[in-house]
Amino acid sequence: MQIRVIFLADFDYFFAQCEELRNPSIKDKPVVVGVYSGRTEDSGAVSTSNYIARKYGVKSGLPLYLAKRKLEGTDAVFFPVDHEYYDQISERIMQLFHNYSDVVEQVSIDEAYLDVTAQVDSDFEKARGYAQKIKNNIKKQVGISLSIGIGPNKLVAKIACDIQKPDGLTIVKPDEAKNFLAPLPVTRLLGVGKKTSLRMEQLGINTISDLAKYDVQRLLELFGKVLGIYFHNAANAIDNDPVREQGEQESISKIGTLKQDTRDLSVILQKTDELTEIVYKEVSEKRLNFKQVSIYVVNVDLTSKSRSISLDQPAKDKETIKRNVKILFEKFLSESQLEIRRVGVRVAGFTKEEQQQKQLTSFFG
Ligand code: DGT
Ligand code: CA
Ligand code: CA
C-alpha cells in the first residue's frame, strides 16, 4: 500500500486573529472575541482569544466578566463574534488549499485535512517544505498564520498539529507515529471523553501506550466490537479513514452484526449504542448538525429494511440519536416477526454547526 501524507491545517487563534487582521494596531494587546448573550453588558463567554490574552488565563469558554477581571489593568480589547467576516476569510483560505491538494476536507471553520500524497511522492521531507510553502503563501495572500500537523493518517496529523501552536509545523513520520502517541493521555483520541477515560483509568489505562498494549480481546468485551477495535487501532496509530472532499458526504452510518440473531430490544440497543458512538464521533468531529435519524435492519432471511425519523429541529447530540434509534426499533419490532441479524445507525440531513451559530448571534445582534 502507498504511504499516505496527510496534513491537518488549523488556523491560529482564528476569530481573534481575524480581528487583528482588520485592526493591525491591536496586535500587541490582549484580544478577546466573545459571544455576548445580551442580558447584561458583560454576560456571555469567551469564544477565543489571542496568545497574549491566554497568558492571563483567558481562554475559550471563560465567562466574559471573569475575562475582564483577569485582564484588568491591561489595554485588552474585546470584540463580539462576527461570523460573516470569519466565514469570508475561512472560505478564501479553503479555496487556496485547493491549489495544493486535490482532496481538501474541511472539518470546521478553521480546520481542513489535505491529502498531499501525490504532490510530495509519499516523501515526508518533501512534505515539510510543501507545508512551509502553504503556510507562507496563506500568510502572504490572506494575512493569516496557521499551524500544520503532518502524519501518515488523519488521526496522527490532527494530534501532531496540536503539539506546536501558533505558527507550528509538526511532522510525524510513519515509523514514528506509534511512539509519538505513546506518552499522550488517552483523552487525546477522538471518542475518548470523560466517561470513557474514567473507565479506562479504572482498568489502569492512562496513556495511549497503555491502551495500545491492552489485550484486544478484553477491549472488545469491555467496549463492544466496534469501539474496541477503534480504540485498539487508534492507540496503535492506525487510521485508514480517507480524506474526503467537501460535500461528498450526505450521511454518516455504521452497521454491525449482532452476537446472535434476536428480537430482544435490549440486546439490539446495546449494539446500536456502540454504533452510535462511532457515528457520533464523526458527526462531532465535523461539527455537523443532522435532521434525520435512521435504522437499518438485516433479518435472518437476509431481507433488509430501513426506517427513518425526521427531527423537528437540527440536532447534534448523541442522546438524540440514541432516543430516536430506540423509538424506531420499538416500532419496527412491533411490525415484524423475524429475528434480526445485523443492525445499522445512520444520520443525515446535515447542516454545519457554524451556520447555526451565525443565526443565533445575528438574532442577538
Ligand atoms: P488555536 O487553534 O488554539 O490557536 O485557537 P483557536 O481560537 O483557533 O481555537 P480552535 O481551533 O479550537 O477554534 C476555532 C474557532 O472556533 C475559534 O477561533 C473560536 C471558535 N471557538 C472555539 N472554542 C469555542 C468555544 O468554546 N465557544 C465559542 N463560542 N467558540 C469557540
Ligand atoms: Ca485554530
Ligand atoms: Ca480548530
Side-chain angles (χ1 to χ4, degrees), residues 10-15 35 47-48 51 54 60-61 110 165:
D10 184 311
F11 315 157
D12 299 323
Y13 60 102
F14 184 50
F15 295 0
V35 178
S47 173
T48 194
Y51 280 76
R54 289 183 199 192
S60 300
D110 82 326
K165 274 181 172 186

Side-chain angles (χ1 to χ4, degrees), residues 89 180 322:
I89 295 182
F180 164 72
K322 289 189 178 176

Side-chain angles (χ1 to χ4, degrees), residues 10-21 31 33 47-51 54 60 81-94 106 108-111 138 142-146 165-166 287 354:
D10 184 311
F11 315 157
D12 299 323
Y13 60 102
F14 184 50
F15 295 0
Q17 201 186 166
C18 290
E19 295 299 344
E20 288 181 0
L21 187 64
V31 176
V33 177
S47 173
T48 194
S49 54
N50 69 359
Y51 280 76
R54 289 183 199 192
S60 300
V81 283
D82 181 351
H83 265 289
E84 221 162 297
Y85 169 56
Y86 312 146
D87 270 341
Q88 279 173 14
I89 295 182
S90 169
E91 237 157 75
R92 273 173 62 203
I93 302 174
M94 297 294 170
Q106 185 178 349
S108 73
I109 192 168
D110 82 326
E111 249 169 77
I138 301 286
V142 188
I144 290 286
S145 81
L146 49 91
K165 274 181 172 186
R287 300 204 197 185
E354 271 94 22

Side-chain angles (χ1 to χ4, degrees), residues 108-339:
S108 73
I109 192 168
D110 82 326
E111 249 169 77
Y113 289 104
L114 283 70
D115 188 327
V116 298
T117 307
Q119 286 75 10
V120 303
D121 307 317
S122 295
D123 180 335
F124 275 72
E125 278 314 317
K126 273 191 204 163
R128 180 193 303 274
Y130 200 62
Q132 193 58 56
K133 190 167 109 185
I134 295 178
K135 274 160 57 84
N136 294 347
N137 285 351
I138 301 286
K139 181 80 197 169
K140 209 165 76 194
Q141 293 177 50
V142 188
I144 290 286
S145 81
L146 49 91
S147 298
I148 295 182
I150 307 180
N153 56 44
K154 287 159 79 171
L155 172 106
V156 174
K158 164 86 180 158
I159 298 175
C161 183
D162 286 335
I163 293 293
Q164 203 202 335
K165 274 181 172 186
D167 201 17
L169 177 51
T170 306
I171 304 182
V172 179
K173 295 180 183 157
D175 58 346
E176 304 164 344
K178 216 182 139 175
N179 284 340
F180 164 72
L181 296 181
L184 302 174
V186 284
T187 46
R188 284 296 188 92
L189 299 174
L190 264 165
V192 182
K194 243 195 212 133
K195 235 166 83 185
T196 308
S197 70
L198 269 176
R199 231 176 123 203
M200 288 186 176
E201 205 180 304
Q202 286 160 357
L203 301 166
I205 303 172
N206 295 298
T207 63
I208 295 181
S209 125
D210 296 337
L211 184 59
K213 284 183 217 137
Y214 204 81
D215 183 61
V216 198
Q217 212 45 52
R218 277 291 287 153
L219 274 186
L220 300 192
E221 285 161 25
L222 288 161
F223 296 98
K225 196 170 152 199
V226 179
L227 269 183
I229 290 174
Y230 163 72
F231 288 148
H232 178 76
N233 282 341
N236 283 285
I238 297 166
D239 171 21
N240 295 318
D241 196 26
V243 179
R244 289 187 200 88
E245 188 62 29
Q246 207 57 28
E248 220 173 81
Q249 197 160 22
E250 283 168 3
S251 68
I252 296 176
S253 62
K254 193 79 202 172
I255 297 175
T257 304
L258 296 162
K259 281 199 195 79
Q260 64 213 38
D261 301 340
T262 187
R263 291 181 45 78
D264 183 334
L265 182 64
S266 66
V267 174
I268 290 169
L269 292 182
Q270 206 186 333
K271 188 73 196 178
T272 56
D273 279 358
E274 271 179 39
L275 301 170
T276 297
E277 294 290 337
I278 300 290
V279 167
Y280 174 73
K281 182 175 86 68
E282 195 172 332
V283 168
S284 63
E285 179 189 358
K286 296 184 172 157
R287 300 204 197 185
L288 297 167
N289 289 294
F290 50 87
K291 272 210 79 171
Q292 192 187 58
V293 176
S294 314
I295 60 165
Y296 177 74
V297 177
V298 179
N299 296 305
V300 274
D301 64 357
L302 298 183
T303 56
S304 62
K305 291 266 164 1
S306 65
R307 295 280 185 275
S308 296
I309 289 185
S310 289
L311 309 173
D312 297 333
Q313 293 279 337
K316 60 177 179 185
D317 63 301
K318 196 158 58 186
E319 282 318 308
T320 300
I321 307 178
K322 289 189 178 176
R323 192 174 59 246
N324 284 289
V325 165
K326 181 162 182 246
I327 294 169
L328 286 166
F329 267 107
E330 280 167 346
K331 186 149 181 294
F332 182 84
L333 288 167
S334 72
E335 292 166 353
S336 159
Q337 313 301 323
L338 292 167
E339 297 212 298

